[in-house]
Amino acid sequence: MSRDRSADNQGKPKAGKTGAEARGSVRGFGRLGEALSGLREEIRTQQRRTFTAPKEDERGADWNSLFDELRKRVRTLGMVEHEPVVDEFGMEVAYLEQQKPFFDFMFERYWRVNLRGATRPKPSKPVVFVANFSGILPWDAMMLAHAIGRGRPTEARPRFLVQDRVLALPFAQAQLARIGGVRSCRENLDKLLAKQRSVIAFPESKEQPARSYRDRYQVTPFVDTSAVLAAAKAGCAVVPVGIVGAEDATPRLGDMAMLAKLASRDLGIPKLPSTPVFPLLGPLGLLPLPAKWVISLGEPVPARTVVEHAETETALELNGVLRARIQALVEGGLESRSSTWA
Amino acid sequence: MNPPCCVAVTGVDTFFGRRLVERWSQTDSAPRIVHCDLSQTDLSERFREEHVESVVHLSLQDVPGVESERGLASDLSSTQALLDACAKAGIRRLVIPSSTMCYGPRLENPQHMSEDARLYGQPDTRWVSTRVQIEQRVATFRDQFPLCDVTVLRYCWVMGPAYLDAIVRYFEADWVPSVLGHDPLLQFVHEDDVLDTLEAAALRPHPGTFNVVGDGLLPLSGYLRLAGKWNVPTPERLLSFVSDAPLPFSGAHRGRGFCDYLKYIWLASGERAGNEFGPRTYSSQEAWLSMVGARRLRDYQARN
């Protein structure tokens, strides 16, 4: 606007006394001046139209509109921003998309996840990911799902299986279901694969308590055959995944059975999670530490091979093979990072 | 197969009994209805005299606010009497409504339970336990008399403009207490869908057990948000004190049994019923909103 004005001012004195003379003498400047004066006139009429209508001074009108806007905002504060829509496993696509920046932050900045190994499987065919289990809250599953689902439609994100121990924590079931967590059992696996959804499974023993920090990254024998059996039934490939970093992010030092029991039985508060730093730091103790993560995708076991292991005995055999490969992937991941934090 | 010319209905004074009779009184092709009183001793003779072909058992109690031992005991004994009479009279078709609550709210439940899942019930609620017992008796009856087509219809929580039981009463208030730390996924079924399936099962043979649930599901907080109600997360122990209406199944246990239904997943898969009876008219969300909308309209009319 200011530049226009200066051009206008420059044009005027050179243009002479009247508009007609100017047009005759300096044709180029004259045409510009004409256009600019037309524009100025238009702006003036516009301004007149907007500011003279309320018959108030300009400041008053501004404040009024501000108050109107504020009132509108306040009125819609407690209202529904989006209609809640969840799929049959309770996943809320809108919520996931809303939370995407948070997951991106955790993935890229906080844990600086390094995704290594084979290419991501295509989303068109369901795949069963089998990974090592770690931590109390399923951060590993969330990050793996995020790593595979990035840049793809949210509906196609792989679902992750959650163990009962985690689901029993307060707020866990609802929150995990929203972001794609499903209780770990055979029926759910079959149904997910039948619906063409990829699944992330953790077949390490359910009964085994979370590993202590000393034994981190020792993958225990896979007792749970349901992942392999379901994959064999659905005829889909199995991808071994080694996750490094999750156990450093949530180290487990001790148990808090006493406090949890007291809270759940005598105070009527649902069971508290027993993380190591929880009592010391309050809710902050639930925050994981910023360790460096490495997620290594192994070579997929093709569907053909998986189908051959449809019996419990043979499934256990395949489980043993998968465990060994995941242990190798984990060790490779451990070697690839220079320290726990970098 | 022609529709039966005569249907016996127990409990014509209950909500669904009244609705079914009403619906059949409006059409010409409807069957003759025999109102049957379960306190009668000669039930089987009456069935035979009236040439009853099909029996719909609707006299069972709805979800109660406060459980009464006597009512539940009579539910069980009257069902047994009815089963005996049906066996004696050689009834061709028997329709028993039940509830998906019989599966029981458990952490270990799969996401969707099929009809073959075990009925764990809920030990703290007598009503659910009674329903499970009734189902067991019906199952033995089915084994003993394979000629009779027994249809068991398991409904989830029923919602609709007119239906009222303790569950609806719990959701009626403007603010609904929920269990702190839990946000269960819930299904609802519309009262018209309940009526449709009851009618279909009474008129045509549909032997088997079916979960009748609305399509789709939402978490409890989602339903409340849709209805503009306040969600009040409360520690479980305080729930019965916070709620202004008595919780469903409150009695000796102060509604503790009901809290489990607000904590864990007990969703049922309605696939089989969908194949048998066709798709439901209303989804879970529509059923819920029809209840909310009707209440709101009634409140508005009462105020003016």
Side-chain angles (χ1 to χ4, degrees):
Chain A
M1 190 66 205
S2 61
R3 215 208 284 158
D4 287 354
R5 234 176 235 161
S6 64
D8 197 18
N9 289 342
Q10 275 173 10
K12 258 201 170 163
K14 277 184 187 172
K17 278 163 198 166
T18 61
E21 272 183 66
R23 231 170 279 143
S25 55
V26 195
R27 201 180 285 168
F29 275 117
R31 208 174 281 165
L32 184 67
E34 199 179 341
L36 282 175
S37 59
L39 187 68
R40 199 197 293 153
E41 201 53 40
E42 201 170 308
I43 288 171
R44 274 201 190 128
T45 48
Q46 283 284 338
Q47 279 181 339
R48 222 169 286 141
R49 208 178 293 153
T50 45
F51 287 116
T52 49
K55 288 269 175 197
E56 278 170 275
D57 64 324
E58 287 177 19
R59 207 181 269 176
D62 261 350
W63 279 110
N64 277 351
S65 67
L66 187 67
F67 272 126
D68 282 346
E69 184 62 29
L70 256 177
R71 210 176 297 144
K72 214 188 289 168
R73 290 270 167 96
V74 168
R75 209 178 294 155
T76 54
L77 211 61
M79 296 243 180
V80 189
E81 286 111 31
H82 57 268
E83 207 170 279
V85 178
V86 301
D87 75 351
E88 59 190 321
F89 286 91
M91 191 173 99
E92 197 177 337
V93 172
Y95 179 74
L96 257 176
E97 269 158 19
Q98 192 191 322
Q99 295 296 314
K100 205 172 157 286
F102 168 70
F103 285 119
D104 274 337
F105 168 78
M106 292 309 261
F107 189 86
E108 284 165 6
R109 299 287 168 81
Y110 198 70
W111 284 319
R112 293 143 286 142
V113 180
N114 180 9
L115 189 63
R116 312 195 316 155
T119 47
R120 292 192 295 174
K122 289 195 182 92
S124 54
K125 264 194 135 185
V127 173
V128 177
F129 297 92
V130 172
N132 56 321
F133 177 78
S134 49
I136 295 140
L137 295 174
W139 286 110
D140 46 354
M142 282 183 233
M143 283 300 113
L144 180 55
H146 191 66
I148 294 156
R150 283 176 99 204
R152 291 179 180 172
T154 312
E155 293 84 356
R157 261 173 82 110
R159 311 302 168 94
F160 53 91
L161 298 186
V162 188
Q163 298 191 337
D164 291 347
R165 187 178 51 223
V166 179
L167 287 180
L169 300 177
F171 306 101
Q173 171 135 29
Q175 198 59 25
L176 289 174
R178 280 177 105 184
I179 58 174
V182 177
R183 182 179 166 263
S184 170
C185 71
R186 180 67 200 275
E187 290 97 326
N188 289 350
L189 255 168
D190 281 340
K191 195 147 193 198
L192 279 167
L193 291 175
K195 295 269 172 193
Q196 305 291 312
R197 307 272 183 229
S198 293
V199 185
I200 298 170
F202 300 91
E204 286 181 60
S205 168
K206 270 182 202 168
E207 279 72 37
Q208 180 218 355
R211 267 188 292 275
S212 77
Y213 191 61
R214 211 179 301 133
D215 306 327
R216 62 194 186 279
Y217 304 125
Q218 298 301 312
V219 184
T220 50
F222 289 180
V223 190
D224 189 3
T225 52
S226 59
V228 168
L229 289 177
K233 191 183 167 200
C236 52
V238 175
V239 180
V241 184
I243 302 176
V244 168
E247 290 192 58
D248 302 312
T250 53
R252 188 190 137 93
L253 305 175
D255 237 332
M256 287 183 20
M258 275 286 286
L259 187 60
K261 211 183 224 174
L262 181 101
S264 70
R265 194 192 289 166
D266 300 329
L267 302 178
I269 300 168
K271 260 190 195 158
L272 287 167
S274 36
T275 67
V277 277
F278 181 66
L280 298 178
L281 300 176
L284 267 182
L286 290 173
L287 270 184
L289 306 174
K292 168 79 179 169
W293 281 41
V294 180
I295 295 180
S296 325
L297 296 178
E299 274 305 318
V301 179
R304 223 175 328 112
T305 321
V306 177
V307 172
E308 284 164 17
H309 298 84
E311 299 296 317
T312 312
E313 304 263 306
T314 46
L316 272 172
E317 227 169 79
L318 182 59
N319 259 353
V321 174
L322 284 169
R323 194 201 81 83
R325 288 178 62 180
I326 289 172
Q327 184 70 59
L329 286 169
V330 165
E331 273 155 23
L334 280 172
E335 273 168 28
S336 79
R337 53 176 203 179
S338 51
S339 85
T340 307
W341 313 109
Chain B
M1 194 185 276
N2 289 329
C5 55
C6 184
V7 176
V9 178
T10 71
V12 275
D13 51 341
T14 60
F15 178 82
F16 288 114
R18 233 179 307 128
R19 277 296 178 90
L20 200 63
V21 171
E22 219 171 81
R23 186 181 273 203
W24 278 341
S25 66
Q26 282 160 3
T27 53
D28 301 329
S29 59
R32 191 157 54 84
I33 303 165
V34 175
H35 297 202
C36 73
D37 181 8
L38 287 169
S39 56
Q40 281 175 323
T41 46
D42 51 347
L43 213 54
S44 63
E45 273 171 41
R46 176 122 193 266
F47 283 165
R48 229 176 269 147
E49 274 168 27
E50 303 264 9
H51 301 287
V52 170
E53 285 167 65
S54 150
V55 175
V56 186
H57 186 33
L58 294 177
S59 71
L60 299 174
Q61 267 188 43
D62 291 331
V63 177
V66 179
E67 294 178 318
S68 80
E69 294 285 320
R70 250 182 61 210
L72 292 172
S74 87
D75 266 4
L76 196 59
S77 60
S78 68
T79 306
Q80 189 57 53
L82 182 74
L83 290 177
D84 292 343
C86 287
K88 231 172 169 187
I91 298 292
R92 283 216 328 251
R93 219 165 287 154
L94 178 62
V95 183
I96 310 264
S98 183
S99 170
T100 56
M101 288 168 106
C102 293
Y103 294 121
R106 292 158 66 247
L107 188 67
E108 294 83 21
N109 280 339
Q111 190 81 11
H112 293 273
M113 276 170 294
S114 76
E115 284 82 349
D116 310 319
R118 204 181 133 187
L119 301 178
Y120 284 93
Q122 215 293 331
D124 281 347
T125 61
R126 291 289 318 278
W127 185 86
V128 177
S129 312
T130 312
R131 280 292 165 107
V132 172
Q133 279 174 334
I134 289 175
E135 284 231 15
Q136 283 162 353
R137 305 235 171 141
V138 171
T140 29
F141 173 83
R142 190 187 272 159
D143 291 343
Q144 283 170 349
F145 302 96
L147 283 180
C148 179
D149 290 334
V150 182
T151 312
V152 176
L153 299 166
R154 292 191 188 134
Y155 299 108
C156 57
W157 285 347
V158 182
M159 288 285 151
Y163 184 71
L164 184 68
D165 64 4
I167 303 288
V168 179
R169 216 168 285 136
Y170 166 76
F171 284 115
E172 245 178 358
D174 284 338
W175 48 281
V176 177
S178 64
V179 180
L180 180 69
H182 296 273
D183 192 13
L185 295 165
L186 294 176
Q187 292 168 314
F188 294 115
V189 64
H190 194 274
E191 56 187 36
D192 289 354
D193 286 326
V194 174
L195 209 58
D196 286 345
T197 46
L198 279 175
E199 189 186 12
L203 298 184
R204 306 251 168 227
H206 294 285
T209 305
F210 304 97
N211 295 329
V212 183
V213 296
D215 293 331
L217 46 91
L218 278 182
L220 174 60
S221 61
Y223 284 114
L224 296 180
R225 205 140 52 98
L226 265 182
K229 292 178 190 288
W230 294 93
N231 185 5
V232 187
T234 318
E236 197 184 333
R237 285 293 167 85
L238 294 177
L239 199 65
S240 53
F241 298 102
V242 168
S243 170
D244 55 354
L247 289 185
F249 312 126
S250 50
H253 294 291
R254 284 202 150 276
R256 203 183 310 152
F258 177 68
C259 289
D260 274 3
Y261 285 96
L262 294 180
K263 278 163 75 180
Y264 304 118
I265 285 184
W266 50 283
L267 302 167
S269 152
E271 227 167 275
R272 201 190 284 179
N275 294 336
E276 188 83 16
F277 297 102
R280 264 82 60 216
T281 320
Y282 298 89
S283 68
S284 293
Q285 193 175 318
E286 286 162 349
W288 163 257
L289 285 179
S290 75
M291 186 280 280
V292 173
R295 303 290 130 153
R296 206 166 278 166
L297 196 63
R298 222 167 290 156
D299 283 353
Y300 179 75
Q301 283 169 342
R303 231 177 287 144
N304 290 286

